[in-house]
Amino acid sequence: MDYRRTSYAVWEITLKCNLACSHCGSRAGQSRTKELSTEEALDLVEQMADVGIKEVTLIGGEAFLRPDWLQIAAAVNRAGMLCSMTTGGFGISLETAQRMKAAGIKTVSVSVDGLEATHDRLRGKKGSWQQAFRTMNHLRQVGIYFGCNTQINRLSAPEFPCIYEHIRDAGAKAWQIQLTVPMGHAADHAEILLQPYELLDVYPMLARVARRAAVEGVRLQPGNNIGYYGPYERLLRGGGEEWGFWQGCAAGLSTLGIEADGAIKGCPSLPTAAYTGGNIRDRSLREIVEQTDELRFNMVAGTAQGTEHLWGFCKTCEFAELCRGGCTWTAHVFFDRRGNNPYCHHRALTQASRGIRERVFLKKQASGLPFDNGEFALVEEPIHSPLAENDPLRFTADRIQWSDSWGDRWWDEVISREAIAS
């Protein structure tokens, strides 16, 4: 029975949050109406174990603002599933970290979205950067394995190499990165989004940092909207492994997203309205996973129907049958439909070779609900045509902040050789 196809769940246990991030897709802040009770949450833990989930990541909002969060974490652990957590890290004391360890939380990812001023600006609270690093120190003291996650946009991208050095020095062993896309609050701040043509300068930077991270013991983990068949794909996605490349959206295939009121999606990032298969208050998790179209849309992968949803550039791409339009979430929140992903390195390179530059601009505002999106228009223009002058956040390679430690070409060559060898 194919309901056992899922293995990983990301569970928003509350939408309540103590930060106010300008790029927050869920517009977190206040609790959702009718969030699951403790009894309902513990029942859902058993249902997740029953359908074959192996790991559950607790998120928010801010997960620790839910009073019974450690009771839920302990139940996940007792059910034989690995319990992890993603946090903004604002307010986790040493005592809280000790309680997390006792509850069985195995790994934690702390959000770091820039150097101090940028991070605090994006996170909407002064002192949030220092609090995040204080949390990492507490996790290290109690022996919880931790990494970081970073949103890449026009504010954070220039600081990317320096961000790496800070999280490495803090003891992070893994680093998940993803491109900021226009969902929720980020849809209201389109000026911070990278333009598709700017990926041409983003990816060489990511590759250079990834090579160094591999040598220095930090595992870079690209999110689902990073990459796609450019020259750095295997380096970024698979650490150089032959089969380490994008192989299509896994929403509903190996992942589940769970909202705090019991709504079930195939991926935690997907827009709620378009991709919710049901609610565990109305149907069992097994029924939702096994029977609803919203969680089965990727089941046609590898069939003739697997590419019918593609349009635009993605419909013509030589990787169409394997890629299937890249990250569903990214395409949908740009164009209000899946199947044409503007955040693709291969696409940017191909268009540049044709003398084409792609830009996006907002044509329809988001509604203001959690996990909502507006709609963008896509412009194709000659690659050397003038760009608007009043665009102070435009990203170019010469804006990247490389510290002195990156200045030795010999060191770059050592990194490249060792990363390839590993």
Side-chain angles (χ1 to χ4, degrees):
M1 298 178 68
D2 61 25
Y3 66 83
R4 289 194 178 273
R5 66 185 184 270
T6 54
S7 61
Y8 177 54
V10 179
W11 186 3
E12 169 208 281
I13 59 174
T14 183
L15 202 58
K16 188 175 183 180
C17 193
N18 55 8
L19 297 174
C21 302
S22 57
H23 57 306
C24 178
S26 64
R27 300 183 184 271
Q30 300 301 313
S31 301
R32 288 184 187 271
T33 302
K34 298 182 179 179
E35 293 188 347
L36 297 179
S37 67
T38 300
E39 182 181 4
E40 289 171 322
L42 297 179
D43 178 71
L44 179 54
V45 169
E46 296 303 319
Q47 291 191 57
M48 284 192 283
D50 181 60
V51 301
I53 299 296
K54 302 300 182 186
E55 178 178 352
V56 179
T57 297
L58 304 181
I59 66 168
E62 183 55 78
F64 67 74
L65 296 180
R66 180 176 167 126
D68 59 358
W69 70 294
L70 290 176
Q71 187 178 352
I72 293 171
V76 170
N77 193 45
R78 285 196 304 271
M81 298 177 286
L82 188 150
C83 185
S84 56
M85 177 184 175
T86 296
T87 177
F90 194 94
I92 294 181
S93 65
L94 180 59
E95 179 186 1
T96 299
Q98 291 167 338
R99 293 169 62 212
M100 291 164 63
K101 176 80 169 180
I105 294 176
K106 303 297 184 187
T107 64
V108 175
S109 181
V110 181
S111 299
V112 178
D113 289 319
L115 300 181
E116 186 167 1
T118 297
H119 177 95
D120 286 1
R121 172 181 173 180
L122 283 168
R123 293 266 148 186
K125 184 169 288 189
K126 188 173 178 59
S128 58
W129 191 87
Q130 292 186 14
Q131 286 279 345
F133 280 85
R134 190 170 295 123
T135 287
M136 286 185 241
N137 184 49
H138 293 155
L139 296 172
R140 180 165 57 180
Q141 286 186 62
V142 303
I144 294 179
Y145 179 98
F146 70 90
C148 292
N149 60 85
T150 297
Q151 293 260 344
I152 303 172
N153 49 56
R154 283 173 148 199
L155 294 175
S156 62
E159 301 173 351
F160 189 78
C162 297
I163 298 169
Y164 164 71
E165 291 179 289
H166 279 283
I167 67 170
R168 175 205 62 196
D169 293 347
K173 299 302 181 185
W175 189 20
Q176 184 177 28
I177 59 174
Q178 68 179 24
L179 304 177
T180 301
V181 301
M183 171 180 272
H185 287 317
D188 306 334
H189 298 281
E191 72 280 359
I192 73 170
L193 302 174
L194 289 163
Q195 286 290 344
Y197 70 87
E198 292 173 332
L199 299 181
L200 297 173
D201 285 334
V202 167
Y203 276 99
M205 173 187 72
L206 298 186
R208 188 180 183 193
V209 175
R211 291 188 181 105
R212 182 166 183 171
V215 172
E216 295 181 338
V218 179
R219 183 161 55 97
L220 191 105
Q221 300 170 306
N224 289 334
N225 64 10
I226 295 286
Y228 315 136
Y229 314 112
Y232 312 118
E233 173 70 4
R234 286 184 172 87
L235 167 67
L236 294 174
R237 192 168 298 282
E241 292 294 327
E242 181 180 2
W243 290 95
F245 55 84
W246 174 258
Q247 298 181 47
C249 174
L253 294 178
S254 60
T255 62
L256 281 181
I258 304 169
E259 295 184 355
D261 60 2
I264 305 297
K265 304 180 294 189
C267 167
S269 299
L270 289 172
T272 299
Y275 294 97
T276 297
N279 192 294
I280 59 102
R281 285 177 168 140
D282 304 318
R283 307 175 69 180
S284 71
L285 183 61
R286 180 182 296 191
E287 270 188 288
I288 295 170
V289 172
E290 186 178 9
Q291 298 176 13
T292 58
D293 291 341
E294 291 85 354
L295 271 76
R296 294 173 58 86
F297 67 89
N298 276 321
M299 294 295 286
V300 295
T303 71
Q305 291 77 34
T307 56
E308 284 185 354
H309 66 289
L310 299 182
W311 58 283
F313 180 94
C314 290
K315 188 175 182 66
T316 67
C317 181
E318 62 266 41
F319 298 109
E321 291 188 10
L322 177 62
C323 180
R324 307 195 312 281
C327 173
T328 298
W329 164 55
T330 300
H332 191 107
V333 297
F334 268 109
F335 302 127
D336 205 33
R337 58 187 287 207
R338 66 190 181 106
N340 189 27
N341 190 337
Y343 274 180
C344 168
H345 193 204
H346 168 71
R347 175 178 182 152
L349 289 166
T350 300
Q351 294 290 62
S353 72
R354 297 170 178 170
I356 296 171
R357 179 175 66 210
E358 290 188 328
R359 290 188 294 110
V360 292
F361 66 90
L362 183 66
K363 69 175 186 178
K364 180 182 177 183
Q365 291 281 351
S367 63
L369 298 173
F371 291 100
D372 64 347
N373 63 274
E375 186 177 351
F376 284 69
L378 180 72
V379 175
E380 290 187 357
E381 58 195 8
I383 196 167
H384 297 301
S385 59
L387 289 163
E389 295 182 4
N390 58 339
D391 188 3
L393 296 182
R394 182 179 300 132
F395 177 78
T396 57
D398 59 7
R399 293 191 63 226
I400 301 171
Q401 300 173 24
W402 301 103
S403 70
D404 291 344
S405 72
W406 298 88
D408 192 328
R409 182 174 296 276
W410 174 83
W411 174 232
D412 268 356
E413 291 174 355
V414 170
I415 291 172
S416 296
R417 288 197 302 271
E418 293 192 19
I420 291 170
S422 64

